Amino acid sequence: MTAAPDQGQLGLSDPAAADLAEPDELGAVEGATGGDTPESDPAAERRVAVAIDAAGAAGLHAFTYRVPARFEPLAEGEAVLVEFGRRQALGIVLGPGAADEIYATKPIVERVRADGPLLPPSSMALARAIAATYLAPPALVLRAMLPPGLLERLELVAERRPESEPGGRPEAGSVPDADRLPDRYPPLDRDDEAILSHLGAGPRAVRRLPAPEGRAGLLRRLRALRAGGIIDLDWTLIDAGAGPRWVRIVRLVAPVERGTGAARRLGPRQVAALDDLERAGSAGIPAPELGASHGSSVLGGLLGRGLVRVDVTEAPRRPLAGRAPGRRGALPAAAALSAEQAAAATAIDVAITTGDPTPILLDGITGGGKTAIYAAVIRTCLEAGRRAIVLVPEIALAIPLVDRLRAELGAEIGLVHSGLSDGERADEWRRIRAGAVDVVVGTRLAVLAPVEALGLVIVDEEHDPAYKSDRTPRLQARDTAMTLGALSGAAVILGSATPAVESEGRARDGQYRRFRLTDRLSGAAPTVEVVDLRAELAAGHRGMLSRSLLAALGSLDRAAGEQALLVINRRGSASVVLCRDCGTVQACPECTRPLVYHQAGVTLRCHHCGRATPLASRCPSCSSARIRYLGGGTERLERETRDAFPDFRIVRLDRDVVERRGAATRILDDLADGRLDVLVGTSLITKGIDVPAITLVGVVSADVALNLPDERAAERTYQLLAQAVGRAGRGDRPGHAVLQTYQPDHPAIQAVARSEPAAFYDAELELRRRFGSPPFGRLVKLTVALADRDAAEAAGDKLIEGLRSRAAELGEPIDIAGPAPAYIARRADRWRFIVVLRGRDPLLVLGEPPGQPWSVDVDPESLL
């Protein structure tokens, strides 16, 4: 939400419009219809809560305002202009306001035109729930739910009213006759007529109207014209940078008879242009395209002869434009669901029909057919006249799922993820808001899409940590999807071959309904080989690829189309750059973490803050040239694989590659179409890839995250390995997986090798129960960041002292840990300490968020 104390915040680039934002110049007492409205009784006016974007602690709350009678009916989700302190600010109506205000409540100043509520009622209810659950400022929650740039610009717009007698809106350039004006309005002078002439063609921003008497004089005239019932003055939201895209379309006025009338003496380029327009028919040709083909001067000549017309139409930006549906993943036409799939689909169909939001956990082995169930129940949802949302954890997984749904359902799909341009995201948002989309597919952003008549929410790979946002509002999309289902009366599906430990616990406690998929529908479960890297080192083998994995790669039957995945959950070429003389490790000056060497670009990068540093040829401490590169990531793995198998077609897919627009889609298409032999990547390639030709999966280092000081470390390792193994052997040929590790006896690795998930979950749930972690309690992580280390630690001590006193007063059992240095102790020149609250209801003890310099993460994905 944008404050409105000055022209920059209002988006008014013309200084002449600045005074229009002043409170005493808005004419707020006058009615929206232009007449004088008597003051109403403040005690009788309705009160509403308004979310306002305000810096500091004030922005954490909604504020209560009175709704003057002239603005009724005012719905939740509408934008309003309110007085906030000594300025005016833009806000959004959240819902009913507090009824027991101690202080006098201010009235809403102006209603902002935006074609009704910005968001539907279900989205507004979800916004309130997110703000309450994650202690997020309501204004920031609403901003996350709206397209980029929508709230960045507020304009005062003048518009002529239609004439009072039949005949509708006056023609452009005309002015009302004097005898048609209200009696109280003085005769029009020349300046009034000039203003009305400018408004004859439609609404105009006030800053674009002529002001011969200056801005104050212009404003007086406009207010007088509004009081006379001739014009309306409205604050209006103007899309800034992400509005609709318009294009000029050239069409023939009528079939052209060559050599007659206006078609005589046409040049060869004009004739060629007419031929193209005749072939295009009613669709026409965009003017830039016509000019590029036949010259920029051709259009002017054809317009001058009256042979063509130019229509301005919206050219929506479509992320899926040009992509044919059904590239991969579609079921054969005669395929039927298995008994296990049918049982799950039937239960979900009933939930859709009855509006039962109780979460349904689809728990099955990889390749068990969860996606086929998704397609079947989405069809049921659409046939019932309702819409669906499907969440995926990564951008790379969205396109394969979209392909399948378009092929099997023929549905209109909306795509929502952070990889879209601002314009594409805005256009998709407008399509969804208008009800033109049947199914929304996307990453965690998609849970905030303004979908009405929602009947189904699917969270695929529900265990994935990518569903947790790392910026305000720090929502967990899986949990938010369940909240959305409860608010909308929609069925909720959580699908995963490796459910989150808390989801497993809730399913065991009966909070979720569970359907197990135990049969692999295509292929057989792959064999799993665990390679002890300690033995590899003892044998003198120091490469990233063990002897077993090298042999497995060498035995790939490439002639039969066999393919392989190589996984290492670390980017770069070397994870540590070390001086062999003094032992100094080159670290990030911002956050003190070791820098990672990337061969592409020959730079050192910090994977925590993103800082890039040129490669040092000498040690910064002792000036030694004896620099050594230790460890490795995807870049080094790709290089070693190419060296070992120079004739293989090898491509890398990691976060660095995904950042290049369209790269992930092209790589996955190449993999599915058999144009790759080996795909090297991070955990990105362990999710959602269903390619029958993949017969080998190698996990190069199973220990990357296993020993991190985080209670989810073992869970994340188990999920990564199980998901990776499940990519192999989905076709007619048997699959094989190689897990390389320094800890072959670790329970997480043995659970994957022996295919014994129950034992792993039993042990993890027992640990969670002992410490009161989810699902047996809740966590809140508070982080303070200050330039002075001692001051940061002292702030943590002070906060803990207050929390313990409050817990004692409330009698609430809670564990308060800290302050402890964060895993990344220093970032952006600030020292970071964390405090962790663990218990049944830590938010009850925390109360109000502590505000700056603290950040609050409710239900954190990691305690690092």
Side-chain angles (χ1 to χ4, degrees), residues 84-101:
F84 189 71
R86 295 187 176 183
R87 59 178 174 140
Q88 290 186 346
L90 180 66
I92 295 180
V93 178
L94 277 178
D100 55 349
E101 288 286 322

Side-chain angles (χ1 to χ4, degrees), residues 2 4 10 20-35 37 48 50 52 65-75 78-84 87-93 106-114 154-157 161 219 223 226 232-237:
T2 307
L10 282 170
L20 298 177
E22 296 299 325
D24 59 342
E25 295 290 344
L26 288 172
V29 177
E30 297 176 3
T33 60
T37 304
V48 294
V50 178
I52 301 169
Y65 287 85
R66 290 184 285 111
V67 183
R70 65 183 179 276
F71 295 143
E72 294 287 11
L74 184 69
E78 288 198 57
V80 293
L81 202 62
V82 297
E83 187 178 340
F84 189 71
R87 59 178 174 140
Q88 290 186 346
L90 180 66
I92 295 180
V93 178
K106 296 179 180 180
I108 287 174
V109 174
E110 287 286 345
R111 188 181 205 156
V112 177
R113 285 180 46 181
L154 187 63
E155 291 267 20
L156 186 61
V157 175
R161 292 187 184 176
L219 183 59
R223 292 183 61 188
R226 180 176 69 173
D232 286 323
L233 278 177
D234 295 292
W235 287 103
T236 304
L237 286 171

